[in-house]
Amino acid sequence: MPAINEVVDLTLEDGVALITLDNPPVNALSPKLMDGMYDAFIQAIGDPEVRAILLLCAGRTFIAGADIKALGVESPKVDFFELQEKIEGAGKPVVAALHGTCLGGGLEVALTCHYRIAAPGTKLGLPEVNLGLLPGGGGTQRLPRIVGVATALDLLISGRQVDARGALAVGLVDVIADTTDLAVAAKAYALALLAEGRPVKRVSDLADRIGDADAAVFEAARDQAERLRRGEEAPRAIIRCVEAAARGDFDAGIAVERAEFQKLLDGPQSAALRYAFFAERQAAKVAGLAPDVQPRALTRVGLVGTGAIGRRLAVALLDAGVETALFDADAAALDRAGAAIDRTALILTGSLSDLAACDLVIEAVADALEAKQAILAELDHAAPGALLATSTARPEVDAIADATTRPCAVIGLHFLSSENADRVLEIVRGKVTSDEAVATALALARKLKRVGVLSGSGPGSISQRTMLVLRQQADAMIAQGVAPEAIERAATEFGFPTGLLAARTDAGTATRTLADSEILDRLLIPLINEAANILGDGIAQRGSDIDMVWVHGYGWPAWRGGPTYHADLLGLPSVIEKVQSFGFNPAPRLVEYAAAGRKLAG
């Protein structure tokens, strides 16, 4: 059998047709891949020598999901449902061999196969909700039929992944391969199915797992959606789809799923979440960084300070598998920190010289500039080979670096952390901070599963300047007689987490009433104007980086994109008018982009 196309291959071994997908890097469901799969299944189904069909993927993963960039742009020659019908309708057993990640459309493909074998460590899930979507290829209909309604709702609303063992426990896979060679194990499994005379098992025909769903299951799902994804439309649409699945008519459920998927795809929330998805990845791309620069290996990281920040960073580093040395000159404080962290891998030391072997040392002690300068000067001598970082929200990275003999080795690391959002590491680069230090900070962010966002150091960093403006506006409204509770309500209705503004509660009796829309304008329009100033000052590389600081650092609802994305939705000319109406000068970058018809988010 010849190759189908450049990304799909078809071979025949012992009566088993091996359809192998090879679309690097993650075998995304591109139109070309779908076309090749369809043609391969047509050939395999029509070949009388083929008794079973095995679907495999080359490389490090099974189909990891849809090609997001192709959504609404490119189309295969047959739609996804036709491909699935061809797979599920094959009169021969079809086995999916899963490894790496089997996500989104990849899992929906696997669910149309009759049997699933997974390599140990395989991750499975339907994460479409994270993009403001739902599984639009039958996932909301087949998943409940194979794992039950309650489990399906949990997986669909959370978007979480399960490993191979968890998938086996809930019935999502039929067997875990007992050999490192998945292709060999999967072929043996297919031949065993034939030898046993096992019939094809169409998931769409299964009914025994959906008949016991009651109103309480769906009410619990609505509570989960409100708790995890307040204000988002996709979870509610998912619940409606699973309710349709529970009624038992597969085709009717598919019709509901198609309609709900299209509404989400065409809606503003999914557009914003897809923007945020790509903006998060764009943040790691630093303009002007030397192409051959390599980050430090970060074999060992030192922390100076056993306060709340130091302890939190120690735990995060240890969880990421980084050897960590924690210093404090106060022996009692060091002992308390060691007892609180309680990790055998943690190195406790009262001597700065013990940090000499570290690749990176982070100061997490004091807020006063003079204290930070003194600590960095000591570290400069005690750990002469290490990169030095100050864990700070302060803008004076250059002043702190000047206290050392090698300011190029100094960088600011601001770990934005709140109850509701703690996924940003703001990397504050000084005027002479080296490319190696920046690359190492970005690598550290990845290790800690944070979004690394580069910020200039003055005047002020991204987070410092924007949050200051927001809080100033809240305080100004309170001073004018607006109730703090009204400001809090407007912010939380927009989607911000409770308590973000830390609005004063001692403001006295409210004497002024503003509509929620006006409160939001007074909060967000000056923030947007400051974001444009930050871009103009070169503090941020791009508008989307500012958005990532707010989405992942301060809890701006991702389904609203971020401040600069919000500005583009409002329209920059409208933003300028509102800036002027509040008595501010529009940022030059805002005026420039409005005149050129450019977008602030970039």
Side-chain angles (χ1 to χ4, degrees), residues 161-429:
Q161 301 172 21
V162 293
D163 61 16
R165 288 183 180 276
L168 181 65
V170 297
L172 193 51
V173 300
D174 299 286
V175 66
I176 297 177
D178 59 359
T179 174
T180 56
D181 193 327
L182 178 62
V184 170
K187 179 184 168 185
Y189 179 56
L191 291 171
L193 292 173
L194 291 171
E196 296 169 13
R198 299 275 291 277
V200 298
K201 185 178 64 175
R202 293 168 52 101
V203 174
S204 60
D205 291 338
L206 303 179
D208 58 323
R209 301 299 302 272
I210 59 173
D212 56 355
D214 57 22
V217 171
F218 293 103
E219 190 58 36
R222 291 185 182 91
D223 290 343
Q224 180 188 20
E226 179 62 22
R227 186 175 67 256
L228 296 180
R229 300 183 178 277
R230 184 168 58 89
E232 296 187 31
E233 297 170 354
R236 295 193 290 271
I238 285 169
I239 293 169
R240 290 192 290 271
C241 290
V242 178
E243 285 176 325
R247 290 192 284 270
D249 187 323
F250 182 79
D251 291 336
I254 286 290
V256 172
E257 182 187 90
R258 284 192 182 195
E260 294 287 355
F261 176 85
Q262 196 61 49
K263 282 190 291 186
L264 293 174
L265 182 62
D266 295 339
Q269 288 196 2
S270 179
L273 284 162
R274 280 178 276 149
Y275 159 80
F277 176 87
F278 288 111
E280 181 177 326
R281 284 143 186 81
Q282 184 73 8
K285 300 176 181 178
V286 176
L289 209 63
D292 59 345
V293 66
Q294 294 295 320
R296 294 276 182 101
L298 294 179
T299 303
R300 178 186 289 185
V301 171
L303 290 172
V304 177
T306 56
I309 295 176
R311 293 196 304 272
R312 187 169 66 245
L313 290 182
V315 170
L317 287 163
L318 291 165
D319 286 347
V322 179
E323 188 175 81
T324 304
L326 183 62
F327 164 86
D328 200 306
D330 184 333
L334 196 61
D335 288 342
R336 287 194 299 271
I341 297 171
D342 191 26
R343 304 290 183 89
T344 56
L346 179 65
I347 301 167
L348 298 173
T349 179
S351 171
L352 282 178
S353 62
D354 288 340
L355 303 180
C358 293
D359 303 295
L360 169 71
V361 181
I362 304 172
E363 167 275 313
V365 177
D367 282 331
L369 174 60
E370 295 78 8
K372 289 182 178 292
Q373 289 173 320
I375 292 167
L376 266 290
E378 288 187 65
L379 289 173
D380 188 22
H381 295 290
L387 296 174
L388 305 177
T390 174
S391 174
T392 180
R394 300 177 64 92
E396 303 101 331
V397 169
D398 289 317
I400 295 169
D402 284 343
T404 72
T405 60
R406 46 197 178 100
C408 61
V410 178
I411 196 164
L413 298 178
H414 182 201
F415 293 84
L416 276 75
S417 292
S418 68
E419 182 180 345
N420 299 282
D422 62 352
R423 286 198 58 227
V424 164
L425 174 55
E426 188 178 31
I427 300 165
V428 186
R429 184 175 196 172

Side-chain angles (χ1 to χ4, degrees), residues 41 51-56 62 87-88 90-98 102 106-118 124 146 171-176 182 185-186 189-203 206:
F41 272 97
R51 297 187 297 139
I53 301 170
L54 178 57
L55 181 62
L56 294 157
F62 191 71
I87 296 171
E88 195 170 40
K92 309 166 182 182
V94 179
V95 176
L98 315 178
C102 177
L107 182 52
E108 288 178 305
V109 168
L111 286 171
T112 60
C113 297
H114 307 132
Y115 298 92
R116 285 154 295 284
I117 179 173
L124 301 90
I146 198 167
L172 193 51
V173 300
D174 299 286
V175 66
I176 297 177
L182 178 62
Y189 179 56
L191 291 171
L193 292 173
L194 291 171
E196 296 169 13
R198 299 275 291 277
V200 298
K201 185 178 64 175
R202 293 168 52 101
V203 174
L206 303 179

Side-chain angles (χ1 to χ4, degrees), residues 19-44:
I19 298 174
T20 304
L21 314 182
D22 190 4
N23 186 30
V26 293
N27 288 312
L29 275 172
S30 66
K32 185 173 293 184
L33 190 76
M34 289 175 60
D35 288 345
M37 286 175 64
Y38 185 81
D39 290 342
F41 272 97
I42 288 286
Q43 285 195 32

Side-chain angles (χ1 to χ4, degrees), residues 506-539:
D506 59 347
T509 303
T511 60
R512 188 176 184 190
T513 301
L514 295 178
D516 283 2
S517 59
E518 186 172 353
I519 290 174
L520 282 173
D521 276 350
R522 286 172 178 263
L523 290 172
L524 303 185
I525 296 301
L527 168 58
I528 289 167
N529 197 50
E530 185 62 12
N533 277 323
I534 286 169
L535 285 169
D537 292 342
I539 301 302

Side-chain angles (χ1 to χ4, degrees), residues 40-119:
F41 272 97
I42 288 286
Q43 285 195 32
I45 292 168
D47 188 336
E49 293 186 29
V50 172
R51 297 187 297 139
I53 301 170
L54 178 57
L55 181 62
L56 294 157
C57 284
R60 57 188 174 89
T61 183
F62 191 71
I63 302 167
D67 184 348
I68 297 172
K69 292 181 179 179
L71 277 175
V73 178
E74 300 178 62
S75 299
K77 63 184 179 183
V78 297
D79 69 20
F80 194 41
F81 288 93
E82 290 180 80
L83 173 61
Q84 288 179 305
E85 288 171 6
K86 185 59 61 178
I87 296 171
E88 195 170 40
K92 309 166 182 182
V94 179
V95 176
L98 315 178
H99 75 290
T101 51
C102 177
L103 305 175
L107 182 52
E108 288 178 305
V109 168
L111 286 171
T112 60
C113 297
H114 307 132
Y115 298 92
R116 285 154 295 284
I117 179 173

